PDB file of all heavy atoms in Angstrom:
ATOM      1  N   LEU G 702      -0.461   5.633  -1.766  1.00 98.00           N
ATOM      2  CA  LEU G 702       0.017   6.059  -0.452  1.00 98.00           C
ATOM      3  C   LEU G 702      -0.557   5.172   0.650  1.00 98.00           C
ATOM      4  O   LEU G 702      -1.756   4.888   0.668  1.00 98.00           O
ATOM      5  CB  LEU G 702      -0.376   7.514  -0.189  1.00 98.00           C
ATOM      6  CG  LEU G 702      -0.019   8.540  -1.274  1.00 98.00           C
ATOM      7  CD1 LEU G 702      -0.458   9.936  -0.834  1.00 98.00           C
ATOM      8  CD2 LEU G 702       1.474   8.524  -1.571  1.00 98.00           C
ATOM      9  N   VAL G 703       0.323   4.745   1.564  1.00 98.00           N
ATOM     10  CA  VAL G 703      -0.086   3.961   2.728  1.00 98.00           C
ATOM     11  C   VAL G 703       0.551   4.593   3.961  1.00 98.00           C
ATOM     12  O   VAL G 703       1.766   4.785   4.000  1.00 98.00           O
ATOM     13  CB  VAL G 703       0.351   2.484   2.614  1.00 98.00           C
ATOM     14  CG1 VAL G 703       0.086   1.750   3.927  1.00 98.00           C
ATOM     15  CG2 VAL G 703      -0.382   1.787   1.470  1.00 98.00           C
ATOM     16  N   PHE G 704      -0.265   4.911   4.955  1.00 98.00           N
ATOM     17  CA  PHE G 704       0.234   5.496   6.191  1.00 98.00           C
ATOM     18  C   PHE G 704       0.004   4.511   7.336  1.00 98.00           C
ATOM     19  O   PHE G 704      -1.096   3.993   7.511  1.00 98.00           O
ATOM     20  CB  PHE G 704      -0.459   6.831   6.471  1.00 98.00           C
ATOM     21  CG  PHE G 704      -0.194   7.865   5.409  1.00 98.00           C
ATOM     22  CD1 PHE G 704      -1.099   8.061   4.370  1.00 98.00           C
ATOM     23  CD2 PHE G 704       0.964   8.614   5.424  1.00 98.00           C
ATOM     24  CE1 PHE G 704      -0.853   9.001   3.368  1.00 98.00           C
ATOM     25  CE2 PHE G 704       1.224   9.555   4.433  1.00 98.00           C
ATOM     26  CZ  PHE G 704       0.319   9.751   3.409  1.00 98.00           C
ATOM     27  N   SER G 705       1.065   4.259   8.088  1.00 97.00           N
ATOM     28  CA  SER G 705       1.020   3.259   9.159  1.00 97.00           C
ATOM     29  C   SER G 705       1.296   3.909  10.503  1.00 97.00           C
ATOM     30  O   SER G 705       2.151   4.797  10.623  1.00 97.00           O
ATOM     31  CB  SER G 705       2.070   2.173   8.884  1.00 97.00           C
ATOM     32  OG  SER G 705       2.220   1.317  10.001  1.00 97.00           O
ATOM     33  N   ASP G 706       0.594   3.461  11.528  1.00 97.00           N
ATOM     34  CA  ASP G 706       0.847   3.948  12.890  1.00 97.00           C
ATOM     35  C   ASP G 706       2.083   3.312  13.503  1.00 97.00           C
ATOM     36  O   ASP G 706       2.564   3.756  14.547  1.00 97.00           O
ATOM     37  CB  ASP G 706      -0.365   3.661  13.787  1.00 97.00           C
ATOM     38  CG  ASP G 706      -1.574   4.520  13.419  1.00 97.00           C
ATOM     39  OD1 ASP G 706      -1.355   5.641  12.918  1.00 97.00           O
ATOM     40  OD2 ASP G 706      -2.705   4.068  13.618  1.00 97.00           O
ATOM     41  N   CYS G 707       2.593   2.277  12.885  1.00 98.00           N
ATOM     42  CA  CYS G 707       3.761   1.562  13.408  1.00 98.00           C
ATOM     43  C   CYS G 707       4.975   2.495  13.430  1.00 98.00           C
ATOM     44  O   CYS G 707       5.275   3.172  12.448  1.00 98.00           O
ATOM     45  CB  CYS G 707       4.042   0.354  12.523  1.00 98.00           C
ATOM     46  SG  CYS G 707       5.546  -0.545  12.922  1.00 98.00           S
ATOM     47  N   LEU G 708       5.693   2.529  14.549  1.00 98.00           N
ATOM     48  CA  LEU G 708       6.940   3.282  14.624  1.00 98.00           C
ATOM     49  C   LEU G 708       8.011   2.511  13.854  1.00 98.00           C
ATOM     50  O   LEU G 708       8.076   1.278  13.918  1.00 98.00           O
ATOM     51  CB  LEU G 708       7.355   3.485  16.079  1.00 98.00           C
ATOM     52  CG  LEU G 708       6.345   4.248  16.949  1.00 98.00           C
ATOM     53  CD1 LEU G 708       6.837   4.340  18.389  1.00 98.00           C
ATOM     54  CD2 LEU G 708       6.070   5.629  16.387  1.00 98.00           C
ATOM     55  N   TRP G 709       8.871   3.218  13.134  1.00 98.00           N
ATOM     56  CA  TRP G 709       9.769   2.563  12.207  1.00 98.00           C
ATOM     57  C   TRP G 709      10.610   1.436  12.817  1.00 98.00           C
ATOM     58  O   TRP G 709      10.758   0.377  12.185  1.00 98.00           O
ATOM     59  CB  TRP G 709      10.684   3.585  11.507  1.00 98.00           C
ATOM     60  CG  TRP G 709      11.684   2.910  10.624  1.00 98.00           C
ATOM     61  CD1 TRP G 709      13.029   2.836  10.795  1.00 98.00           C
ATOM     62  CD2 TRP G 709      11.399   2.135   9.444  1.00 98.00           C
ATOM     63  NE1 TRP G 709      13.610   2.095   9.796  1.00 98.00           N
ATOM     64  CE2 TRP G 709      12.627   1.647   8.956  1.00 98.00           C
ATOM     65  CE3 TRP G 709      10.215   1.820   8.768  1.00 98.00           C
ATOM     66  CZ2 TRP G 709      12.707   0.862   7.815  1.00 98.00           C
ATOM     67  CZ3 TRP G 709      10.298   1.029   7.635  1.00 98.00           C
ATOM     68  CH2 TRP G 709      11.543   0.562   7.165  1.00 98.00           C
ATOM     69  N   PRO G 710      11.191   1.566  14.009  1.00 98.00           N
ATOM     70  CA  PRO G 710      11.997   0.448  14.531  1.00 98.00           C
ATOM     71  C   PRO G 710      11.209  -0.843  14.698  1.00 98.00           C
ATOM     72  O   PRO G 710      11.805  -1.921  14.784  1.00 98.00           O
ATOM     73  CB  PRO G 710      12.485   0.975  15.888  1.00 98.00           C
ATOM     74  CG  PRO G 710      12.525   2.457  15.721  1.00 98.00           C
ATOM     75  CD  PRO G 710      11.310   2.758  14.879  1.00 98.00           C
ATOM     76  N   GLU G 711       9.871  -0.758  14.749  1.00 98.00           N
ATOM     77  CA  GLU G 711       9.034  -1.946  14.919  1.00 98.00           C
ATOM     78  C   GLU G 711       8.502  -2.480  13.585  1.00 98.00           C
ATOM     79  O   GLU G 711       7.777  -3.477  13.556  1.00 98.00           O
ATOM     80  CB  GLU G 711       7.862  -1.607  15.847  1.00 98.00           C
ATOM     81  CG  GLU G 711       8.319  -1.193  17.251  1.00 98.00           C
ATOM     82  CD  GLU G 711       7.186  -0.621  18.084  1.00 98.00           C
ATOM     83  OE1 GLU G 711       6.127  -0.303  17.506  1.00 98.00           O
ATOM     84  OE2 GLU G 711       7.369  -0.476  19.301  1.00 98.00           O
ATOM     85  N   PHE G 712       8.855  -1.819  12.487  1.00 98.00           N
ATOM     86  CA  PHE G 712       8.361  -2.223  11.167  1.00 98.00           C
ATOM     87  C   PHE G 712       8.991  -3.559  10.776  1.00 98.00           C
ATOM     88  O   PHE G 712      10.198  -3.747  10.868  1.00 98.00           O
ATOM     89  CB  PHE G 712       8.736  -1.158  10.137  1.00 98.00           C
ATOM     90  CG  PHE G 712       8.063  -1.325   8.803  1.00 98.00           C
ATOM     91  CD1 PHE G 712       6.809  -0.800   8.567  1.00 98.00           C
ATOM     92  CD2 PHE G 712       8.700  -2.001   7.764  1.00 98.00           C
ATOM     93  CE1 PHE G 712       6.187  -0.939   7.330  1.00 98.00           C
ATOM     94  CE2 PHE G 712       8.087  -2.140   6.528  1.00 98.00           C
ATOM     95  CZ  PHE G 712       6.829  -1.609   6.300  1.00 98.00           C
ATOM     96  N   GLY G 713       8.144  -4.480  10.352  1.00 97.00           N
ATOM     97  CA  GLY G 713       8.634  -5.808   9.978  1.00 97.00           C
ATOM     98  C   GLY G 713       7.807  -6.424   8.869  1.00 97.00           C
ATOM     99  O   GLY G 713       7.064  -5.732   8.153  1.00 97.00           O
ATOM    100  N   ASP G 714       7.906  -7.741   8.736  1.00 98.00           N
ATOM    101  CA  ASP G 714       7.219  -8.447   7.655  1.00 98.00           C
ATOM    102  C   ASP G 714       5.715  -8.222   7.668  1.00 98.00           C
ATOM    103  O   ASP G 714       5.089  -8.060   6.618  1.00 98.00           O
ATOM    104  CB  ASP G 714       7.505  -9.948   7.748  1.00 98.00           C
ATOM    105  CG  ASP G 714       8.917 -10.304   7.304  1.00 98.00           C
ATOM    106  OD1 ASP G 714       9.687  -9.372   6.987  1.00 98.00           O
ATOM    107  OD2 ASP G 714       9.244 -11.498   7.283  1.00 98.00           O
ATOM    108  N   ALA G 715       5.117  -8.236   8.867  1.00 98.00           N
ATOM    109  CA  ALA G 715       3.652  -8.097   8.955  1.00 98.00           C
ATOM    110  C   ALA G 715       3.197  -6.751   8.401  1.00 98.00           C
ATOM    111  O   ALA G 715       2.226  -6.684   7.640  1.00 98.00           O
ATOM    112  CB  ALA G 715       3.206  -8.250  10.411  1.00 98.00           C
ATOM    113  N   GLN G 716       3.914  -5.679   8.768  1.00 98.00           N
ATOM    114  CA  GLN G 716       3.530  -4.350   8.296  1.00 98.00           C
ATOM    115  C   GLN G 716       3.795  -4.199   6.795  1.00 98.00           C
ATOM    116  O   GLN G 716       2.999  -3.594   6.065  1.00 98.00           O
ATOM    117  CB  GLN G 716       4.293  -3.273   9.072  1.00 98.00           C
ATOM    118  CG  GLN G 716       3.878  -3.126  10.530  1.00 98.00           C
ATOM    119  CD  GLN G 716       4.448  -4.220  11.420  1.00 98.00           C
ATOM    120  OE1 GLN G 716       5.426  -4.887  11.062  1.00 98.00           O
ATOM    121  NE2 GLN G 716       3.853  -4.405  12.587  1.00 98.00           N
ATOM    122  N   LEU G 717       4.916  -4.751   6.324  1.00 98.00           N
ATOM    123  CA  LEU G 717       5.215  -4.697   4.897  1.00 98.00           C
ATOM    124  C   LEU G 717       4.167  -5.443   4.091  1.00 98.00           C
ATOM    125  O   LEU G 717       3.650  -4.931   3.084  1.00 98.00           O
ATOM    126  CB  LEU G 717       6.605  -5.279   4.625  1.00 98.00           C
ATOM    127  CG  LEU G 717       7.014  -5.372   3.154  1.00 98.00           C
ATOM    128  CD1 LEU G 717       7.066  -3.988   2.504  1.00 98.00           C
ATOM    129  CD2 LEU G 717       8.368  -6.082   3.014  1.00 98.00           C
ATOM    130  N   ASP G 718       3.826  -6.647   4.527  1.00 98.00           N
ATOM    131  CA  ASP G 718       2.851  -7.445   3.779  1.00 98.00           C
ATOM    132  C   ASP G 718       1.459  -6.815   3.811  1.00 98.00           C
ATOM    133  O   ASP G 718       0.710  -6.913   2.832  1.00 98.00           O
ATOM    134  CB  ASP G 718       2.804  -8.868   4.343  1.00 98.00           C
ATOM    135  CG  ASP G 718       4.041  -9.677   3.974  1.00 98.00           C
ATOM    136  OD1 ASP G 718       4.694  -9.336   2.970  1.00 98.00           O
ATOM    137  OD2 ASP G 718       4.365 -10.631   4.700  1.00 98.00           O
ATOM    138  N   ALA G 719       1.110  -6.154   4.913  1.00 97.00           N
ATOM    139  CA  ALA G 719      -0.185  -5.461   4.976  1.00 97.00           C
ATOM    140  C   ALA G 719      -0.231  -4.327   3.953  1.00 97.00           C
ATOM    141  O   ALA G 719      -1.243  -4.125   3.268  1.00 97.00           O
ATOM    142  CB  ALA G 719      -0.423  -4.922   6.383  1.00 97.00           C
ATOM    143  N   ALA G 720       0.876  -3.590   3.833  1.00 98.00           N
ATOM    144  CA  ALA G 720       0.934  -2.501   2.853  1.00 98.00           C
ATOM    145  C   ALA G 720       0.886  -3.043   1.428  1.00 98.00           C
ATOM    146  O   ALA G 720       0.227  -2.466   0.552  1.00 98.00           O
ATOM    147  CB  ALA G 720       2.199  -1.675   3.067  1.00 98.00           C
ATOM    148  N   LEU G 721       1.587  -4.148   1.188  1.00 98.00           N
ATOM    149  CA  LEU G 721       1.580  -4.750  -0.149  1.00 98.00           C
ATOM    150  C   LEU G 721       0.194  -5.285  -0.505  1.00 98.00           C
ATOM    151  O   LEU G 721      -0.241  -5.194  -1.665  1.00 98.00           O
ATOM    152  CB  LEU G 721       2.618  -5.869  -0.224  1.00 98.00           C
ATOM    153  CG  LEU G 721       4.083  -5.436  -0.103  1.00 98.00           C
ATOM    154  CD1 LEU G 721       5.005  -6.652  -0.155  1.00 98.00           C
ATOM    155  CD2 LEU G 721       4.450  -4.446  -1.201  1.00 98.00           C
ATOM    156  N   ALA G 722      -0.510  -5.840   0.476  1.00 97.00           N
ATOM    157  CA  ALA G 722      -1.869  -6.329   0.231  1.00 97.00           C
ATOM    158  C   ALA G 722      -2.802  -5.164  -0.083  1.00 97.00           C
ATOM    159  O   ALA G 722      -3.663  -5.257  -0.970  1.00 97.00           O
ATOM    160  CB  ALA G 722      -2.368  -7.106   1.445  1.00 97.00           C
ATOM    161  N   ASP G 723      -2.622  -4.059   0.643  1.00 97.00           N
ATOM    162  CA  ASP G 723      -3.414  -2.857   0.373  1.00 97.00           C
ATOM    163  C   ASP G 723      -3.140  -2.363  -1.043  1.00 97.00           C
ATOM    164  O   ASP G 723      -4.062  -2.047  -1.812  1.00 97.00           O
ATOM    165  CB  ASP G 723      -3.036  -1.783   1.405  1.00 97.00           C
ATOM    166  CG  ASP G 723      -3.993  -0.598   1.405  1.00 97.00           C
ATOM    167  OD1 ASP G 723      -4.783  -0.468   0.463  1.00 97.00           O
ATOM    168  OD2 ASP G 723      -3.938   0.193   2.366  1.00 97.00           O
ATOM    169  N   TYR G 724      -1.875  -2.320  -1.416  1.00 97.00           N
ATOM    170  CA  TYR G 724      -1.481  -1.884  -2.762  1.00 97.00           C
ATOM    171  C   TYR G 724      -2.107  -2.778  -3.838  1.00 97.00           C
ATOM    172  O   TYR G 724      -2.591  -2.296  -4.862  1.00 97.00           O
ATOM    173  CB  TYR G 724       0.037  -1.916  -2.880  1.00 97.00           C
ATOM    174  CG  TYR G 724       0.563  -1.711  -4.283  1.00 97.00           C
ATOM    175  CD1 TYR G 724       0.689  -0.439  -4.821  1.00 97.00           C
ATOM    176  CD2 TYR G 724       0.927  -2.808  -5.077  1.00 97.00           C
ATOM    177  CE1 TYR G 724       1.161  -0.248  -6.118  1.00 97.00           C
ATOM    178  CE2 TYR G 724       1.401  -2.629  -6.368  1.00 97.00           C
ATOM    179  CZ  TYR G 724       1.520  -1.351  -6.881  1.00 97.00           C
ATOM    180  OH  TYR G 724       1.983  -1.173  -8.155  1.00 97.00           O
ATOM    181  N   ALA G 725      -2.104  -4.091  -3.598  1.00 96.00           N
ATOM    182  CA  ALA G 725      -2.623  -5.039  -4.590  1.00 96.00           C
ATOM    183  C   ALA G 725      -4.107  -4.839  -4.848  1.00 96.00           C
ATOM    184  O   ALA G 725      -4.613  -5.167  -5.936  1.00 96.00           O
ATOM    185  CB  ALA G 725      -2.362  -6.473  -4.128  1.00 96.00           C
ATOM    186  N   ASP G 726      -4.815  -4.261  -3.866  1.00 94.00           N
ATOM    187  CA  ASP G 726      -6.253  -4.034  -4.020  1.00 94.00           C
ATOM    188  C   ASP G 726      -6.579  -2.687  -4.654  1.00 94.00           C
ATOM    189  O   ASP G 726      -7.746  -2.410  -4.949  1.00 94.00           O
ATOM    190  CB  ASP G 726      -6.948  -4.106  -2.652  1.00 94.00           C
ATOM    191  CG  ASP G 726      -7.077  -5.538  -2.152  1.00 94.00           C
ATOM    192  OD1 ASP G 726      -7.034  -6.457  -2.995  1.00 94.00           O
ATOM    193  OD2 ASP G 726      -7.219  -5.731  -0.934  1.00 94.00           O
ATOM    194  N   ARG G 727      -5.560  -1.844  -4.847  1.00 93.00           N
ATOM    195  CA  ARG G 727      -5.818  -0.525  -5.406  1.00 93.00           C
ATOM    196  C   ARG G 727      -6.098  -0.620  -6.904  1.00 93.00           C
ATOM    197  O   ARG G 727      -5.567  -1.480  -7.609  1.00 93.00           O
ATOM    198  CB  ARG G 727      -4.601   0.401  -5.175  1.00 93.00           C
ATOM    199  CG  ARG G 727      -4.214   0.572  -3.708  1.00 93.00           C
ATOM    200  CD  ARG G 727      -5.120   1.496  -2.957  1.00 93.00           C
ATOM    201  NE  ARG G 727      -4.691   1.624  -1.561  1.00 93.00           N
ATOM    202  CZ  ARG G 727      -3.906   2.603  -1.107  1.00 93.00           C
ATOM    203  NH1 ARG G 727      -3.462   3.535  -1.940  1.00 93.00           N
ATOM    204  NH2 ARG G 727      -3.577   2.652   0.184  1.00 93.00           N
ATOM    205  N   ASP G 728      -6.922   0.306  -7.388  1.00 86.00           N
ATOM    206  CA  ASP G 728      -7.253   0.386  -8.808  1.00 86.00           C
ATOM    207  C   ASP G 728      -6.465   1.551  -9.390  1.00 86.00           C
ATOM    208  O   ASP G 728      -6.859   2.715  -9.271  1.00 86.00           O
ATOM    209  CB  ASP G 728      -8.757   0.612  -8.966  1.00 86.00           C
ATOM    210  CG  ASP G 728      -9.200   0.589 -10.423  1.00 86.00           C
ATOM    211  OD1 ASP G 728      -8.362   0.254 -11.284  1.00 86.00           O
ATOM    212  OD2 ASP G 728     -10.367   0.910 -10.692  1.00 86.00           O
ATOM    213  N   ARG G 729      -5.335   1.270 -10.023  1.00 80.00           N
ATOM    214  CA  ARG G 729      -4.438   2.320 -10.511  1.00 80.00           C
ATOM    215  C   ARG G 729      -4.824   2.727 -11.929  1.00 80.00           C
ATOM    216  O   ARG G 729      -4.709   1.951 -12.865  1.00 80.00           O
ATOM    217  CB  ARG G 729      -2.982   1.845 -10.457  1.00 80.00           C
ATOM    218  CG  ARG G 729      -2.555   1.341  -9.086  1.00 80.00           C
ATOM    219  CD  ARG G 729      -1.064   1.100  -9.038  1.00 80.00           C
ATOM    220  NE  ARG G 729      -0.334   2.368  -8.968  1.00 80.00           N
ATOM    221  CZ  ARG G 729       0.939   2.505  -9.326  1.00 80.00           C
ATOM    222  NH1 ARG G 729       1.606   1.469  -9.815  1.00 80.00           N
ATOM    223  NH2 ARG G 729       1.540   3.679  -9.210  1.00 80.00           N
ATOM    224  N   ARG G 730      -5.238   3.981 -12.085  1.00 75.00           N
ATOM    225  CA  ARG G 730      -5.721   4.451 -13.389  1.00 75.00           C
ATOM    226  C   ARG G 730      -4.860   5.563 -13.976  1.00 75.00           C
ATOM    227  O   ARG G 730      -5.028   5.914 -15.137  1.00 75.00           O
ATOM    228  CB  ARG G 730      -7.163   4.932 -13.260  1.00 75.00           C
ATOM    229  CG  ARG G 730      -8.094   3.860 -12.708  1.00 75.00           C
ATOM    230  CD  ARG G 730      -9.534   4.294 -12.757  1.00 75.00           C
ATOM    231  NE  ARG G 730     -10.411   3.268 -12.192  1.00 75.00           N
ATOM    232  CZ  ARG G 730     -11.703   3.160 -12.471  1.00 75.00           C
ATOM    233  NH1 ARG G 730     -12.262   4.018 -13.301  1.00 75.00           N
ATOM    234  NH2 ARG G 730     -12.430   2.218 -11.920  1.00 75.00           N
ATOM    235  N   PHE G 731      -3.988   6.163 -13.168  1.00 68.00           N
ATOM    236  CA  PHE G 731      -3.087   7.224 -13.653  1.00 68.00           C
ATOM    237  C   PHE G 731      -3.847   8.339 -14.374  1.00 68.00           C
ATOM    238  O   PHE G 731      -3.404   8.860 -15.396  1.00 68.00           O
ATOM    239  CB  PHE G 731      -2.010   6.632 -14.568  1.00 68.00           C
ATOM    240  CG  PHE G 731      -1.178   5.583 -13.897  1.00 68.00           C
ATOM    241  CD1 PHE G 731      -1.475   4.236 -14.056  1.00 68.00           C
ATOM    242  CD2 PHE G 731      -0.112   5.928 -13.082  1.00 68.00           C
ATOM    243  CE1 PHE G 731      -0.715   3.253 -13.424  1.00 68.00           C
ATOM    244  CE2 PHE G 731       0.654   4.958 -12.450  1.00 68.00           C
ATOM    245  CZ  PHE G 731       0.358   3.621 -12.622  1.00 68.00           C
ATOM    246  N   GLY G 732      -4.998   8.699 -13.839  1.00 69.00           N
ATOM    247  CA  GLY G 732      -5.768   9.800 -14.401  1.00 69.00           C
ATOM    248  C   GLY G 732      -6.729   9.408 -15.502  1.00 69.00           C
ATOM    249  O   GLY G 732      -7.530  10.232 -15.963  1.00 69.00           O
ATOM    250  N   GLY G 733      -6.681   8.155 -15.944  1.00 70.00           N
ATOM    251  CA  GLY G 733      -7.556   7.711 -17.027  1.00 70.00           C
ATOM    252  C   GLY G 733      -8.653   6.791 -16.525  1.00 70.00           C
ATOM    253  O   GLY G 733      -8.947   6.729 -15.329  1.00 70.00           O
ATOM    254  N   VAL G 734      -9.259   6.076 -17.437  1.00 68.00           N
ATOM    255  CA  VAL G 734     -10.266   5.079 -17.096  1.00 68.00           C
ATOM    256  C   VAL G 734      -9.892   3.775 -17.782  1.00 68.00           C
ATOM    257  O   VAL G 734      -9.177   3.767 -18.782  1.00 68.00           O
ATOM    258  CB  VAL G 734     -11.688   5.511 -17.531  1.00 68.00           C
ATOM    259  CG1 VAL G 734     -12.128   6.738 -16.756  1.00 68.00           C
ATOM    260  CG2 VAL G 734     -11.749   5.752 -19.021  1.00 68.00           C
ATOM    261  N   LYS G 735     -10.374   2.686 -17.227  1.00 68.00           N
ATOM    262  CA  LYS G 735     -10.080   1.384 -17.816  1.00 68.00           C
ATOM    263  C   LYS G 735     -11.022   1.098 -18.979  1.00 68.00           C
ATOM    264  O   LYS G 735     -12.141   1.604 -19.035  1.00 68.00           O
ATOM    265  CB  LYS G 735     -10.216   0.290 -16.753  1.00 68.00           C
ATOM    266  CG  LYS G 735      -9.122   0.348 -15.697  1.00 68.00           C
ATOM    267  CD  LYS G 735      -9.194  -0.847 -14.785  1.00 68.00           C
ATOM    268  CE  LYS G 735      -8.042  -0.872 -13.814  1.00 68.00           C
ATOM    269  NZ  LYS G 735      -8.082  -2.053 -12.911  1.00 68.00           N
ATOM    270  N   ALA G 736     -10.537   0.257 -19.895  1.00 59.00           N
ATOM    271  CA  ALA G 736     -11.339  -0.099 -21.064  1.00 59.00           C
ATOM    272  C   ALA G 736     -12.664  -0.718 -20.642  1.00 59.00           C
ATOM    273  O   ALA G 736     -13.700  -0.499 -21.264  1.00 59.00           O
ATOM    274  CB  ALA G 736     -10.555  -1.052 -21.961  1.00 59.00           C
ATOM    275  N   THR G 737     -12.655  -1.493 -19.559  1.00 60.00           N
ATOM    276  CA  THR G 737     -13.896  -2.133 -19.093  1.00 60.00           C
ATOM    277  C   THR G 737     -14.906  -1.093 -18.652  1.00 60.00           C
ATOM    278  O   THR G 737     -16.103  -1.286 -18.783  1.00 60.00           O
ATOM    279  CB  THR G 737     -13.584  -3.082 -17.931  1.00 60.00           C
ATOM    280  OG1 THR G 737     -12.843  -2.372 -16.919  1.00 60.00           O
ATOM    281  CG2 THR G 737     -12.788  -4.281 -18.389  1.00 60.00           C
TER     282      THR G 737
END
């Protein structure tokens, strides 16, 4: 989940890429743990 203060009509590449960068840093485990 990513929540942005940007109002939708102003949403553009910068806001999309910021959300994608945030997503790329997340550790997705789906309720489990990693082998490491």
